[in-house]
Amino acid sequence: MKNIKINSLLALLIMVFLSSCSADFIEEKKDYSSVNVGIYQDEFLANGYLDYLYYMMQPDNNPNMAMWSKAAREHSSPDLFAKSSDEVAGESDLNKEYTEISNVNNHCLKSLGVRLGSSPLNTTWSRIRYCNLYLDNVDDYTGLEQDFKNQVKGQFYFWRAWQYFELVRLYGGVPLVLTAQPANVDDPSVQTPRSSSSEVIEQIVSDLEMSQSLLENARPYTAAEAGRITAAAAAALKGRVLLTWASPLFNRTDDQTRWQRAYDANLEAYNVCIAAGKGLDPDWKGMWFKDNGMESIFSFGFNDFAPNTSGVQRNNYTEYQSRSRDQGGNGGISPTKNIIDAFPMADGTPYNPNGNLNHFYRNRDPRFYHTFAYNGSIWPYAGNANYRNWTYYWYPLASSTTLKVATNTSQNATGIYLRKFTNNTSSNTNGFRNNGDDYMEIRFAEVVLNLAESAVGANKLSEGKGYIKSIRARAGVTNGDGDYGLASVSTRDGLFAACINERKVEFAYENKRFHDLRRWLLFNDDNNTCTRLNQTPIEGSRRQGYYTFAKRNESTLYIGIPDPFKGASAPVISREATTYPSGITSYEQYVDYLYDNHFEVQVRDDVDSANFSFKWYNEYYFFGIYQQLLETAPYLQQTQGWGGSFNPLN
């Protein structure tokens, strides 16, 4: 999304509101009847109106972007979709058992929005209306240069497509409202029925093609406008849309024409992005900290203002939520063993989760070490360039049921921390919260993997495999078998599985997993896709983590009051040793020695509550319309499985 920092955006809005060309500008924004016609004639006002839409589309104030979704927030909580996958634990409206499927239960999403009222709120339909209002009228006025008009219109078409895509992948077909409707909510002309899913997809594609064409013929952005929607972003989103349309969620008969269309769109996106100077950033570890870097196609922007300063605070709280409490963070993100097990070995071959648990961290894909912080790993920040992350436990007394922990501060739920998105030079002033790092919603790696999956679907198997290999090569996976660990994978379903597994690793905690599970009907095996693709169903599972216990020696757990490994006079052995046992020459080797002799790793199965087992209902593949909205808009046809006859597969 737009990387122009939010304080500048709001300052611009205030100036627009106070501008002398319309004393009633604020009043006009309080209803839906009209806006100052200056937005169609004056560049400053046009940008102000557009900035207001960006603001409406932006993430919440100070969000945790590893677990954030606007559609999820508009139902209940921004982490709803993350908790409804295997990435993090916790009960949600979409993973627990209900007596029945009903549109009055909390599992019926409210993301479709409320019926349009007489005063604007930041909802699905008000955002669509702001797009429509501008697109309806801008060509009826003069005053804007054509290249600037193309620039502005291209962004509005993108945003309308973006909002409709968020809806169609959750609900299937929804009402297509492409002009600004009258403000009277009781007017029959505003009672638009649901369009078919195919009609909505075609409209999204049309809007994105229009957006791309306009932006390719638009005035170039200035340096201060870096981060606005580009033609490359429009092309990349079109590729994502058509991949979703080709996936089993919509494409139950495996229609090859859909896969070919997705392939064509994603190949175009790939080439457009390359031409725009985008590509796979060789610095996988550090690419998250580069505004508008080579990997970034479409990003959300943040600032680094502290609370109670002159600017409007809009920080990225992901690092605050990721860092441990011992470092000054919140420790609120607990990566699961379920995701950790997905990361392959250094040579790309699968990790064996049934092997020696004490060796779970050894010889893994380089992305493993940039994504997770585990017991003993070095996890620097500005205040401590040699910070060591200790998460081991022990019992102070043989009869004790309460564990002690190495840092004397509460640990997260899984014993593993999310290291991704954390910068080795970040300051823990204000608990890492003054963070202005952008968040890449679409990055070039997704374009590549979208193209890989589409190529496999279109039976271009070797080409698809080549794109997966390029992702692994960039990450630093060693090429021991000549195929980056994929030498044994050659069938269409095998390569589909490789795409899914690669996305699980590459996009861990980037809000992709829930939608990938839905795209491929992988929550259970009712559609046989888990069996086809050798995937473990989510339904019936428990999210797990690790307990790392201290040991006196290879065979005896440590029991005692003092920390067994802390300080030069540690009762067992110092974790900060300056001299190592014979044959040990580095800290990394010393950590291995500790795991072999003084740690015992066990599966932690208390991450989810004792009686919890993940429950999935197939009705969640296409959500129904919740009762309150249906009562105010009875002309909307209810979804099949939710008491209605609307078929989202059409």
Side-chain angles (χ1 to χ4, degrees):
M1 197 177 286
K2 185 178 179 184
N3 294 355
I4 301 170
K5 300 308 179 186
I6 199 72
N7 52 294
S8 302
L9 183 153
L10 291 181
L12 178 59
L13 288 177
I14 291 169
M15 287 188 286
V16 170
F17 287 158
L18 299 180
S19 63
S20 59
C21 58
S22 174
D24 298 324
F25 193 91
I26 296 176
E27 290 303 313
E28 289 168 353
K29 293 195 77 61
K30 290 182 179 178
D31 63 39
Y32 291 116
S33 59
S34 63
V35 294
N36 179 355
V37 297
I39 66 172
Y40 310 120
Q41 299 171 303
D42 180 87
E43 291 187 7
F44 182 79
L45 292 179
N47 270 324
Y49 186 87
L50 181 60
D51 282 347
Y52 189 74
L53 180 63
Y54 272 87
Y55 175 71
M56 295 172 76
M57 293 285 190
Q58 285 275 7
D60 302 325
N61 188 34
N62 307 330
N64 168 13
M65 291 306 299
M67 296 166 56
W68 180 89
S69 165
K70 182 176 283 291
R73 182 189 65 77
E74 291 183 330
H75 170 73
S76 59
S77 171
D79 62 5
L80 171 70
F81 296 157
K83 286 184 176 179
S84 303
S85 76
D86 49 1
E87 287 195 325
V88 294
E91 186 176 276
S92 79
D93 288 343
L94 303 182
N95 67 17
K96 61 185 180 181
E97 192 163 356
Y98 290 84
T99 303
E100 62 178 350
I101 294 295
S102 170
N103 70 340
V104 300
N105 286 337
N106 288 339
H107 59 193
C108 189
L109 281 190
K110 298 179 176 63
S111 310
L112 187 58
V114 299
R115 191 182 188 192
L116 204 62
S118 58
S119 295
L121 299 171
N122 186 6
T123 66
T124 296
W125 299 106
S126 60
R127 293 190 290 270
I128 289 174
R129 181 178 175 81
Y130 279 121
C131 295
N132 289 340
L133 191 61
Y134 200 87
L135 294 172
D136 284 350
N137 293 289
V138 63
D139 290 331
D140 293 337
Y141 293 86
T142 59
L144 297 180
E145 298 291 337
Q146 189 62 48
D147 62 345
F148 177 80
K149 187 185 294 187
N150 288 351
Q151 184 192 94
V152 174
K153 287 174 63 178
Q155 294 172 79
F156 278 109
Y157 276 112
F158 177 93
W159 283 125
R160 186 168 73 179
W162 173 264
Q163 184 61 81
Y164 270 114
F165 177 59
E166 287 291 277
L167 294 177
V168 75
R169 66 175 171 173
L170 292 172
Y171 294 93
V174 294
L176 274 176
V177 181
L178 304 177
T179 60
Q181 295 179 330
N184 182 359
V185 295
D186 295 318
D187 187 332
S189 68
V190 307
Q191 297 178 357
T192 307
R194 296 176 74 171
S195 294
S196 67
S197 298
S198 59
E199 289 172 320
V200 177
I201 291 290
E202 293 308 318
Q203 183 60 51
I204 293 169
V205 169
S206 176
D207 278 358
L208 291 171
E209 289 175 345
M210 179 63 76
S211 173
Q212 181 181 344
S213 176
L214 288 166
L215 291 169
E216 286 173 342
N217 294 281
R219 180 184 300 177
Y221 292 123
T222 65
E225 294 171 318
R228 284 192 181 270
I229 302 302
T230 64
L237 181 56
K238 177 184 168 184
R240 181 193 282 185
V241 169
L242 288 175
L243 176 62
T244 301
W245 184 236
S247 301
L249 174 65
F250 286 103
N251 188 14
R252 304 295 172 95
T253 61
D254 197 24
D255 182 348
Q256 293 294 289
T257 62
R258 292 195 192 181
W259 285 112
Q260 182 63 45
R261 191 180 182 195
Y263 170 80
D264 293 340
N266 281 294
L267 181 60
E268 179 188 17
Y270 180 92
N271 290 328
V272 168
C273 289
I274 291 290
K278 299 299 182 179
L280 293 173
D281 192 328
D283 182 17
W284 198 96
K285 178 181 178 181
M287 64 180 166
W288 321 104
F289 319 120
K290 304 172 185 177
D291 284 4
N292 307 304
M294 67 181 295
E295 184 100 5
S296 178
I297 308 299
F298 170 41
S299 297
F300 296 98
F302 296 92
N303 65 33
D304 57 3
F305 283 9
N308 304 316
T309 58
S310 58
V312 177
Q313 185 190 16
R314 183 60 66 95
N315 300 159
N316 183 341
Y317 268 23
T318 309
E319 184 152 7
Y320 162 66
Q321 292 284 348
S322 300
R323 292 280 186 175
S324 69
R325 289 178 176 85
D326 189 57
Q327 293 172 304
N330 176 264
I333 305 174
S334 300
T336 62
K337 180 179 182 295
N338 313 64
I339 297 299
I340 291 167
D341 287 350
F343 280 68
M345 304 303 289
D347 62 359
T349 56
Y351 166 71
N352 177 14
N354 298 315
N356 187 340
L357 273 181
N358 272 39
H359 293 177
F360 78 94
Y361 66 94
R362 298 189 190 182
N363 198 35
R364 302 293 289 271
D365 181 319
R367 290 170 292 186
F368 176 94
Y369 305 101
H370 303 322
T371 303
F372 306 114
Y374 53 90
N375 178 58
S377 60
I378 297 177
W379 190 10
Y381 61 98
N384 189 343
N386 198 39
Y387 179 84
R388 297 173 185 187
N389 186 55
W390 298 111
T391 60
Y392 55 85
Y393 291 89
W394 73 94
Y395 288 103
L397 300 170
S399 60
S400 177
T401 58
T402 302
L403 289 167
K404 290 182 69 67
V405 64
T407 58
N408 290 321
T409 57
S410 59
Q411 297 292 307
N412 72 359
T414 61
I416 303 291
Y417 288 87
L418 183 64
R419 186 170 186 162
K420 198 175 193 177
F421 316 121
T422 66
N423 194 331
N424 288 351
T425 62
S426 289
S427 168
N428 68 350
T429 300
N430 199 27
F432 300 97
R433 282 175 287 193
N434 300 352
N435 190 313
D437 290 337
D438 293 342
Y439 173 80
M440 292 183 283
E441 168 60 31
I442 301 178
R443 55 187 180 93
F444 188 71
E446 184 189 347
V447 176
V448 175
L449 286 177
N450 288 350
L451 178 55
E453 190 176 324
S454 302
V456 173
N459 284 302
K460 304 176 190 297
L461 303 187
S462 61
E463 182 179 348
K465 187 176 186 177
Y467 294 125
I468 303 172
K469 288 161 58 177
S470 73
I471 294 292
R472 292 188 162 198
R474 182 277 292 269
V477 173
T478 57
N479 192 14
D481 64 359
D483 263 347
Y484 293 93
L486 299 172
S488 63
V489 181
S490 59
T491 66
R492 186 169 181 259
D493 280 349
L495 286 166
F496 273 142
C499 290
I500 292 166
N501 294 338
E502 199 66 27
R503 292 177 68 92
K504 190 176 181 180
V505 170
E506 179 72 22
F507 303 133
Y509 304 93
E510 295 184 48
N511 300 295
K512 303 289 190 292
R513 181 64 175 160
F514 176 77
H515 293 296
D516 282 346
L517 289 168
R518 288 183 69 252
R519 277 198 309 115
W520 275 95
L521 311 175
L522 293 176
F523 279 96
N524 57 37
D525 203 26
D526 289 0
N527 294 279
N528 199 45
T529 50
C530 289
T531 296
R532 272 184 58 199
L533 306 181
N534 193 29
Q535 302 290 302
T536 301
I538 307 299
E539 186 174 13
S541 70
R542 292 172 56 79
R543 280 73 58 93
Q544 298 176 322
Y546 296 96
Y547 272 123
T548 302
F549 287 99
K551 296 194 301 184
R552 283 194 177 275
N553 51 52
E554 189 174 346
S555 59
T556 307
L557 290 176
Y558 172 81
I559 297 174
I561 299 300
D563 187 318
F565 307 134
K566 185 176 181 180
S569 59
V572 177
I573 189 171
S574 175
R575 66 194 189 193
E576 309 293 346
T578 55
T579 59
Y580 299 133
S582 176
I584 306 298
T585 60
S586 68
Y587 174 73
E588 290 74 16
Q589 291 176 352
Y590 186 55
V591 170
D592 291 346
Y593 174 86
L594 292 177
Y595 271 92
D596 287 339
N597 296 278
H598 296 293
F599 290 137
E600 181 176 302
V601 180
Q602 299 179 11
V603 174
R604 183 172 184 171
D605 197 40
D606 60 357
V607 177
D608 283 319
S609 60
N611 298 320
F612 177 87
S613 179
F614 197 111
K615 179 62 180 175
W616 177 260
Y617 295 93
N618 290 336
E619 287 81 359
Y620 298 170
Y621 286 124
F622 291 108
F623 289 95
I625 301 172
Y626 65 100
Q627 183 62 25
Q628 184 181 9
L629 180 58
L630 205 60
E631 288 172 355
T632 60
Y635 53 87
L636 293 178
Q637 192 177 1
Q638 182 60 282
T639 308
Q640 288 179 354
W642 295 86
S645 57
F646 183 85
N647 184 356
L649 295 178
N650 290 336

